[in-house]
Amino acid sequence: LYVKSKEYKRAAKEFNNILKIAPRYEKARYYQCYIGYAEGDIYNARSCLIRLKDVKDKEVREGAGIILFNIGVVLQDNRDWNGSIGALKDAIFFRRGDAQQYLYLARAYIEIKDYDNGIKGFQDALRLDSTSKDAETGIAIAYDKALREHMRKGKEHLNAREFQKAIEEFDKVLIIEPNHKEAAADKKGAEADLRIILVKSEKKRQEVLAQQLRVARDALKAAEYNKAIAAYSQTIKLDKDNKEALQGIERARGTKAQLIDKNLTLGKGAYDAGNYYQAISYL
């Protein structure tokens, strides 16, 4: 009654009293959120409604979804596109069968230039309402914007010599328009340039590997075990399955450990014999 007569403070007090007795009473929890919305506090109302995702009452879920949808629309009017996307996604969680929710969600994605999600939103709206001209028009517009945006990004990556990223963007263009000649040509060029870089990179990697192995072998022969272990470790970072490096590092560590044990034994013997200077020399 207090809600109907818009006596929200009294209504809030009554619902609080109910929740003290029955903390999980779903309709009381819902009306607490509704009061915040009715008083114009849409941000706290949204936060409150999100906490109702565990409710089972169908009327509560329907009501929560409707309020969140309305909040999403208001936020679009305020040009808070990301906030609107969040509210509309929450609304869809409660009410999945409303095509309008997906239309508004798609429009918000278009505004933030997330055209791929915009396309998906319009497609979901059309799936729920096959007669929706807004969804059909939205898909066409979103496809055109997505194509242009992926081409722009692809060109930027190409100019920056970020060939893998460029290829990914051109692929997205070709998904939208498989016969797009410019995207296909640019992708082919990016793939050729990437192959050249990969060949050069592999050649350089092999040169570094060979150098590290030479250093490790020479250090092992000279009984410089720490240096050998360091060089073999660098080799394994570049090639984790390199057999020579894996075997070499184990050999260097084993020989080093044996040498330490031997020196400890000799040092202890010298110390016990009173040859302190000789004992120190084994440290």
Side-chain angles (χ1 to χ4, degrees):
L1 291 175
Y2 287 135
V3 170
K4 286 184 179 180
S5 61
K6 297 184 179 180
E7 297 178 66
Y8 296 126
K9 288 184 179 179
R10 288 187 176 184
K13 184 177 179 180
E14 291 300 326
F15 289 127
N16 285 334
N17 289 335
I18 292 170
L19 289 169
K20 286 177 183 177
I21 301 169
R24 297 194 63 79
Y25 185 58
E26 292 179 346
K27 285 190 176 178
R29 291 169 62 198
Y30 164 74
Y31 276 112
Q32 278 189 324
C33 304
Y34 174 82
I35 288 168
Y37 169 71
E39 290 181 330
D41 189 356
I42 60 173
Y43 291 100
N44 281 330
R46 180 190 166 197
S47 298
C48 180
L49 289 163
I50 290 170
R51 293 194 291 272
L52 298 179
K53 287 189 174 182
D54 62 331
V55 301
K56 301 293 188 293
D57 188 297
K58 290 183 179 180
E59 288 185 13
V60 170
R61 294 183 68 83
E62 181 74 11
I66 291 171
I67 292 174
L68 285 163
F69 171 66
N70 290 335
I71 289 173
V73 173
V74 171
L75 290 173
Q76 285 197 18
D77 291 339
N78 296 338
R79 304 191 68 77
D80 180 357
W81 305 111
N82 286 308
S84 177
I85 288 168
L88 290 167
K89 287 170 75 174
D90 292 331
I92 289 167
F93 178 87
F94 288 103
R95 299 170 67 245
R96 297 186 181 278
D98 186 347
Q100 284 295 313
Q101 294 178 149
Y102 291 98
L103 281 175
Y104 275 91
L105 180 61
R107 289 166 184 161
Y109 276 125
I110 296 299
E111 288 292 338
I112 64 169
K113 297 183 179 181
D114 184 348
Y115 301 121
D116 294 328
N117 273 318
I119 291 168
K120 184 178 182 303
F122 285 124
Q123 287 175 334
D124 286 335
L126 192 62
R127 173 176 53 80
L128 291 168
D129 181 4
S130 60
T131 65
S132 175
K133 297 299 181 185
D134 288 340
E136 287 182 356
T137 303
I139 289 170
I141 293 172
Y143 267 128
D144 182 64
K145 289 181 178 291
L147 187 148
R148 292 174 185 273
E149 183 67 6
H150 291 311
M151 275 300 297
R152 183 188 67 78
K153 287 182 177 179
K155 295 282 189 183
E156 282 186 359
H157 290 311
L158 200 57
N159 291 334
R161 299 184 64 77
E162 297 170 337
F163 299 119
Q164 184 57 51
K165 291 181 179 179
I167 291 166
E168 290 170 5
E169 293 298 330
F170 294 134
D171 275 336
K172 290 174 183 178
V173 173
L174 293 168
I175 289 171
I176 297 169
E177 190 176 318
N179 297 321
H180 197 288
K181 292 182 180 179
E182 186 178 2
D186 285 342
K187 179 188 174 184
K188 187 176 180 180
E191 288 173 336
D193 288 333
L194 182 60
R195 281 194 294 272
I196 292 169
I197 288 176
L198 291 175
V199 169
K200 287 181 179 178
S201 177
E202 179 59 20
K203 184 179 178 182
K204 181 65 177 177
R205 190 178 76 92
Q206 291 298 332
E207 288 174 356
V208 174
L209 277 171
Q211 181 184 7
Q212 290 295 329
L213 285 171
R214 282 196 299 272
V215 171
R217 292 187 204 113
D218 292 343
L220 201 57
K221 287 179 183 178
E224 296 175 337
Y225 300 114
N226 287 333
K227 184 177 180 181
I229 290 168
Y232 281 132
S233 296
Q234 288 300 316
T235 303
I236 291 167
K237 285 181 181 179
L238 293 168
D239 180 5
K240 63 183 178 67
D241 297 320
N242 188 284
K243 290 183 179 180
E244 182 181 348
L246 291 169
Q247 293 171 356
I249 199 169
E250 288 303 315
R251 181 182 171 190
R253 285 172 176 167
T255 306
K256 179 184 174 183
Q258 290 174 5
L259 183 62
I260 291 171
D261 289 342
K262 180 181 177 181
N263 285 341
L264 285 172
T265 301
L266 292 172
K268 187 176 184 301
Y271 180 82
D272 292 342
N275 299 323
Y276 301 122
Y277 288 108
Q278 187 179 0
I280 292 170
S281 70
Y282 288 113
L283 296 176

